[in-house]
Amino acid sequence: MLALIYLGLAFYLGDQFCRRFFRFVSVAHRCAAAVLVGLLFSSWFTYVLGWLFARSKRPLFWADLCFFAVALGAIWIFRRRSRRRWGPYGEFIQPKPPGRALWDWVTLGAYLVLASWLMFATLDYKNDLLLIGNNEWSDFGPNTAIIQSFAVGHNFPTQYPHFSGETIRYHFLFYFQAGNLSYLGLNLAWSLNLLSILTQVCMLALVMALGQLLFNSRAVGRIGSALFYFHGTLSFLAFLRAQPSVSAAFNSILTLKDFLPSGYPYRGELWGIWTQVVFLNQRHLASGVGILLLVLIFLVDRYRRHAAARAEAVAQPPADEPAPAPAPEIAPVATEASNPPAESEAIVLSPEPVSVPESSPPPKRSFASRMREIAGNIIVFNKGFVFCGLLLGCLPFWNAMVFTSSFAILSLLFLFFPCRRQMLGLGLMTAVAALPQLYMLRSGVKTATRSILHWGYIVDPPTINNVLRYIGFSFGLKWFLVLIALACVTWFQRRLFLALCSMFLVTFCLELSLETLANHKFLNLWLIVGNLYVAYGLWRIWHIRPRWLIPLGRLAALALAAAIFVGGAIDLFPIHNSYFIQLKYGNDPLVKWIWANTKPHDVFLSDRFVNHQILLAGRRLFYGWPSFSWGAGYDTTKRDHVYRTLFESQDPYTVFRLLRENNIVYVAIDEGVRRGEFIKRPNEDVYSLNFQKVWEDKANAYSKLVIYKVPETPSPQGLKRPDPARAQARLMEIPAVTMFQGGKGAARGQFDFPRGMTADRAGNILVADTSNGRIQKFSPAGVFLSLFGKTGKGEGELQEPNGLAVDASGNIYVGDVGNQRIQKFTGSGRFISQWRPPAPGFYGPRDLCVTSDNFVYVVDQGHARIVKFDANGVFVTTWGTQGQSDGQFVEPAAVAVSEKNQRVYVADPRNKRIQVFDPGGKFIAKWPVPEWQTTSWIFHHLLIDQEADRLYATSPTTDEVLIFDLDGKRIGELKAKPPDKLEGASALALANGKLYVLCTFADRVRLIDLRAK
């Protein structure tokens, strides 16, 4: 009940503010403005007070208490002022669009039902379980964590719950309000869903109001707002063409679980960035867009009033000239079929109309008095501009993407429209309110190495033609209707559309966040307002002239609307058919224990969770799911290192120091830490020997979770070190897996970012387990045989081993990248010697190859050269420099030698080519490899089949192995047998007619049987 009272007071205060600065198109417009402005201001007020009370145990209690007191006091003041009639507030724009408002309310009622279904279909709470739709599971991780950090935690000053210790860099105020409502009595799902439903319906009400104001048509407003649910992309065409029959198409639609792919193979284009899932994942987006729409409606009204006032001032004769005889007034007749008014046709209402008796002649007014009245109106307008600036200035903590959009759109409005002085006041107010927030959100973000300019969005290659094709495909038939609308509208409406198109410039020319794909939200915003022009295009076709074309026009309008409707309707079914992922929350033993035994601001070191009871209990993680933190601009590379040290170091003093430095109070270790992919050698013994175990999951309900409490100071007896042999023995207790099973880890058969492989004379496969600092040996069937090496700098120790090779005697050569040397071992792994070339030495011995006469060729990747040794490690020669000319390289990746023609082949992937040399380094030939696209991947590999005279080359961007003859003629390509893929192929080995491919991203080896090809 308190939550509903809070909302009621917020909406009332929002209305009191808005009706003092805005004129309204309709009652729905006024209600939407009251809701959005009330939420924005009440959230800010409560949050700031909560921050001021941060030292108290219950900051939200005092913040809400102050809000209720101030709100009730403001209501008393407003009521007294309204009785004194201190000005006419709540004015409506006249004339109103023709038609009945009833159908507007019916439309909004339908939106309310649809929005309620969408929100509860993706987030619900039943039987003490939090239910999250599978399509929204990952995005709800940070959102629910932020909500709970305020509702049952203590997040003042605010930090990101998945990355504790630094100020927040993610817009959070919408979720703060959801947490506040949860604190006031609503459950988590209801607090977020109620805000989401209200703000989405309000946004659509404002789209409707803008359409009615801009085009003087209720129908355009209703259609334009309805198009929000139907994106218009052409993705449905390929889907329908793939169906064998109409009945099969219906059945596929009804059972569809994935959103329609766009046809562009980019990350994100498969999970529906043009569908409702964006507004279901990013619940705060609709409310931010609603605030921008409020400002746009205000500006459109003011521009038209300004044009009308100027026209009237020009028409007013000087005082010493007789006024012309007044013409009889004719009331304009507005119909749905009438054209929208031009700029000068808007009507300006005086603040307080004066009633004059019919028998009294109109009072004569001087030219000077008329000018003073116009100047007074301009002053009144300035207040509205400043208020709009305050609204936009409050957005960065609410939704930073919408704030950026507002800046781009208003910059063009400043150029295209009058009222520039007032726009400067708007901009100044926006800057004053927004700059502190922007400073806080960008605090600590490293931008020096990243340019803000980025052409092409995610289109690859980013040519003008491809960008235009992408835009055309994404919005499909809507473009045709937009062009029709632009041909029919006034210059005023065209200028507004041009200002909206600044969203394309921002999307395709800038990179404002670390994740380029996030730019799609700018296009989502453009589409919301652009739908009004689509609706007007449909309306013009429906009312086509001359009359004999009306049946044809209406048939065309229905067909176009149906084509737009189909794609959006199909993409609603994956939401309907999604399943809930259940998360225990209410009456959960772990949540109850956390609430009872930990403090609201305590930090946990745990597995890198997306969602977990620790987060739902309102506590923060030292390091949650990294993609969230990376996208928000945090230094995840540095935290990766600290996190690994905390869970892998065997030095208890180092662990304790890092725990205290990062204010970690509890350490939670479960199977995700013990057997996950990121932590390879978990050090649970360090914690069990030195820290108190305060909670244990004996029922295995939380993946065998154990929680340890970090003491304030070490034990007087000192910290105990675990037995290294015991830790290694525990690791060896894990059953070995085959190299084909692999997987990330440190157990036998597991790998961590492996980048080198070769075959010995017996056909056994050697794999450089790079990040584990070791070499593993497997049988041709993939069975684990042995391993040697460990991380270190001494003889026989390895730091990031890469290339491998075996000579005729079975000796093993290892490119020890981290130690900048080549190491030579016996076939059993016993250290023999280490090699380094003359100055400047190695800078990354990436790959190597040993010939039958025991010459060793090494790719010194960092120095862009090839280094040659003899069998004893004596330096012979080197060739290559940095560049693109013949014989030059840009980060060469691999070397292979043909015994038949005595040619040395070098992979030069940055230059998209293979170069050929003689054994002394003389350039002979080159051939292009167009599949080697420019990416950050620099681990391509070459292998020569000495018997078949073929050269195999990995192509990671196309997930295949390319086949050439030794003269560079393309023979074919090889792929893994589906469903397998060659994920990040970095090395090749050939044995017994089988090609082995090391897949770095998958941490395993794939097998291609050449005899079956």
Side-chain angles (χ1 to χ4, degrees), residues 558-569:
L558 290 173
L560 289 169
I564 293 172
F565 170 84
V566 168

Side-chain angles (χ1 to χ4, degrees), residues 33-230:
V35 170
L36 294 177
V37 173
L39 280 177
L40 185 63
F41 284 172
S42 63
S43 301
W44 261 107
F45 183 84
T46 310
Y47 174 73
V48 171
L49 284 175
W51 200 337
L52 293 176
F53 288 108
R55 292 184 178 275
S56 67
K57 292 184 178 180
R58 296 186 296 171
L60 273 184
F61 171 81
W62 297 107
D64 285 324
L65 187 63
C66 291
F67 172 80
F68 283 119
V70 171
L72 293 174
I75 290 173
W76 180 77
I77 294 173
F78 286 141
R79 298 302 297 174
R80 286 180 61 86
R81 291 187 63 179
S82 63
R83 286 197 294 269
R84 294 179 183 177
R85 303 178 63 84
W86 285 7
Y89 302 121
E91 183 183 354
F92 286 85
I93 300 172
Q94 299 294 338
K96 291 185 177 181
R100 300 179 61 189
L102 172 64
W103 292 109
D104 294 346
W105 289 107
V106 171
T107 304
L108 290 174
Y111 295 157
L112 181 64
V113 173
L114 184 54
S116 299
W117 168 70
L118 287 171
M119 301 308 167
F120 281 99
T122 52
L123 179 67
D124 206 349
Y125 180 77
K126 293 180 180 178
N127 301 323
D128 297 328
L129 294 173
L130 186 65
L131 308 175
I132 304 176
N134 66 294
N135 290 320
E136 293 75 27
W137 166 252
S138 62
D139 284 278
F140 270 84
N143 299 341
T144 54
I146 291 174
I147 291 172
Q148 293 299 90
S149 72
F150 290 110
V152 292
H154 190 302
N155 203 357
F156 299 99
T158 305
Q159 298 180 13
Y160 199 49
H162 280 79
F163 199 94
S164 68
E166 298 189 32
T167 56
I168 195 162
R169 297 174 191 162
Y170 182 83
H171 33 235
F172 64 92
L173 205 57
F174 179 87
Y175 300 105
F176 161 78
Q177 186 60 274
N180 187 42
L181 295 180
S182 182
Y183 177 78
L184 291 173
L186 292 178
N187 66 48
L188 172 58
W190 267 94
S191 63
L192 183 56
N193 284 342
L194 182 59
L195 289 181
S196 305
I197 293 166
L198 288 174
T199 53
Q200 186 172 110
V201 173
C202 288
M203 181 197 72
L204 294 175
L206 294 174
V207 174
M208 189 184 301
L210 180 60
Q212 292 173 2
L213 177 63
L214 198 58
F215 297 103
N216 194 37
S217 169
R218 294 185 186 273
V220 170
R222 289 193 289 266
I223 295 171
S225 59
L227 287 173
F228 167 75
Y229 292 103
F230 308 103

Side-chain angles (χ1 to χ4, degrees), residues 683-864:
N683 59 353
E684 189 171 0
D685 284 349
V686 171
Y687 295 99
S688 62
L689 288 173
N690 295 287
F691 301 152
Q692 178 188 2
K693 183 190 297 183
V694 293
W695 196 85
E696 184 175 5
D697 174 25
K698 297 181 179 179
N700 195 19
Y702 309 93
S703 192
K704 298 183 180 178
L705 180 70
V706 177
I707 299 178
Y708 300 93
K709 188 157 193 281
V710 180
E712 293 288 335
T713 57
S715 169
Q717 291 79 27
L719 298 175
K720 302 176 182 178
R721 295 179 179 273
D723 182 4
R726 181 184 173 190
Q728 185 66 24
R730 291 180 63 179
L731 189 64
M732 292 298 104
E733 289 175 1
I734 301 175
V737 296
T738 69
M739 65 181 180
F740 304 125
Q741 294 172 307
K744 187 175 287 293
R748 294 168 297 172
Q750 292 183 323
F751 308 106
D752 188 5
F753 212 68
R755 297 200 292 271
M757 182 172 63
T758 192
D760 65 12
R761 302 306 175 190
N764 297 315
I765 305 300
L766 297 163
V767 178
D769 190 2
T770 304
S771 293
N772 281 326
R774 64 188 184 181
I775 309 299
Q776 296 196 65
K777 186 176 181 179
F778 301 87
S779 74
V783 177
F784 174 83
L785 297 177
S786 63
L787 60 82
F788 65 89
K790 65 178 181 178
T791 301
K793 298 182 179 181
E795 293 182 349
E797 296 179 334
L798 303 167
Q799 295 268 23
E800 296 187 41
N802 268 236
L804 293 175
V806 176
D807 64 18
S809 302
N811 297 314
I812 303 170
Y813 300 80
V814 182
D816 190 4
V817 172
N819 291 317
Q820 301 176 341
R821 63 188 177 184
I822 300 296
Q823 293 202 68
K824 183 177 180 181
F825 299 86
T826 65
S828 61
R830 180 177 57 82
F831 173 79
I832 298 176
S833 62
Q834 58 179 330
W835 304 348
R836 286 187 173 91
F842 282 125
Y843 187 71
R846 154 70 187 123
D847 187 44
L848 40 86
C849 177
V850 180
T851 61
S852 58
D853 50 0
N854 288 337
F855 281 103
V856 181
Y857 296 83
V858 181
V859 176
D860 189 6
Q861 191 168 54
H863 286 143

Side-chain angles (χ1 to χ4, degrees), residues 303 306 413-425:
Y303 293 151
H306 181 275
L413 291 179
F414 177 82
L415 297 176
F416 292 162
F417 289 99
C419 304
R420 290 185 177 86
R421 290 184 180 179
Q422 292 89 335
M423 289 291 287
L424 287 175

Side-chain angles (χ1 to χ4, degrees), residues 389-632:
L390 179 61
L391 290 178
L392 296 177
C394 289
L395 281 180
F397 275 3
W398 192 273
N399 191 297
M401 299 290 283
V402 176
F403 174 80
T404 305
S405 304
S406 304
F407 179 82
I409 293 172
L410 295 182
S411 296
L412 290 187
L413 291 179
F414 177 82
L415 297 176
F416 292 162
F417 289 99
C419 304
R420 290 185 177 86
R421 290 184 180 179
Q422 292 89 335
M423 289 291 287
L424 287 175
L426 185 154
L428 181 61
M429 185 70 243
T430 302
V432 170
L435 286 177
Q437 303 169 62
L438 295 174
Y439 176 80
M440 179 176 172
L441 290 174
R442 302 302 296 172
S443 176
V445 178
K446 296 181 179 180
T447 58
T449 59
R450 185 175 65 91
S451 173
I452 195 174
L453 298 177
H454 177 82
W455 161 244
Y457 180 42
I458 55 174
V459 179
D460 188 27
T463 63
I464 294 290
N465 182 53
N466 284 347
V467 168
L468 293 176
R469 288 176 60 190
Y470 177 84
I471 295 173
F473 183 92
S474 298
F475 306 117
L477 294 174
K478 287 188 175 182
W479 276 118
F480 173 71
L481 295 167
V482 166
L483 294 176
I484 291 177
L486 292 177
C488 300
V489 298
T490 64
W491 175 228
F492 176 92
Q493 294 155 332
R494 289 195 191 101
R495 280 181 289 171
L496 182 63
F497 183 81
L498 288 175
L500 293 173
C501 287
S502 61
M503 295 297 91
F504 288 103
L505 296 177
V506 175
T507 302
F508 289 95
C509 297
L510 301 179
E511 188 177 42
L512 299 175
S513 64
L514 293 174
E515 190 172 14
T516 305
L517 183 65
N519 278 13
H520 75 81
K521 298 185 184 72
F522 297 119
L523 297 181
N524 289 116
L525 191 152
W526 175 88
L527 187 59
I528 289 172
V529 185
N531 281 332
L532 291 174
Y533 289 83
V534 176
Y536 185 68
L538 282 171
W539 186 89
R540 294 292 301 198
I541 295 175
W542 183 269
H543 293 283
I544 195 171
R545 293 291 184 271
R547 284 194 170 187
W548 62 271
L549 283 177
I550 289 179
L552 183 61
R554 295 190 173 180
L555 183 62
L558 290 173
L560 289 169
I564 293 172
F565 170 84
V566 168
I570 291 175
D571 269 331
L572 291 176
F573 281 91
I575 298 174
H576 175 268
N577 296 328
S578 67
Y579 58 88
F580 280 123
I581 294 175
Q582 301 180 356
L583 197 62
K584 292 183 291 184
Y585 174 50
N587 294 319
D588 179 72
L590 178 56
V591 173
K592 286 183 175 181
W593 181 87
I594 292 174
W595 285 346
N597 296 277
T598 69
K599 298 177 181 178
H601 50 70
D602 283 345
V603 177
F604 280 71
L605 173 67
S606 68
D607 190 14
R608 302 188 299 176
F609 294 126
V610 177
N611 288 285
H612 196 267
Q613 282 77 12
I614 295 174
L615 292 166
L616 291 180
R619 306 311 184 244
R620 286 170 281 176
L621 301 181
F622 172 68
Y623 195 25
W625 191 245
S627 63
F628 301 151
S629 306
W630 173 82

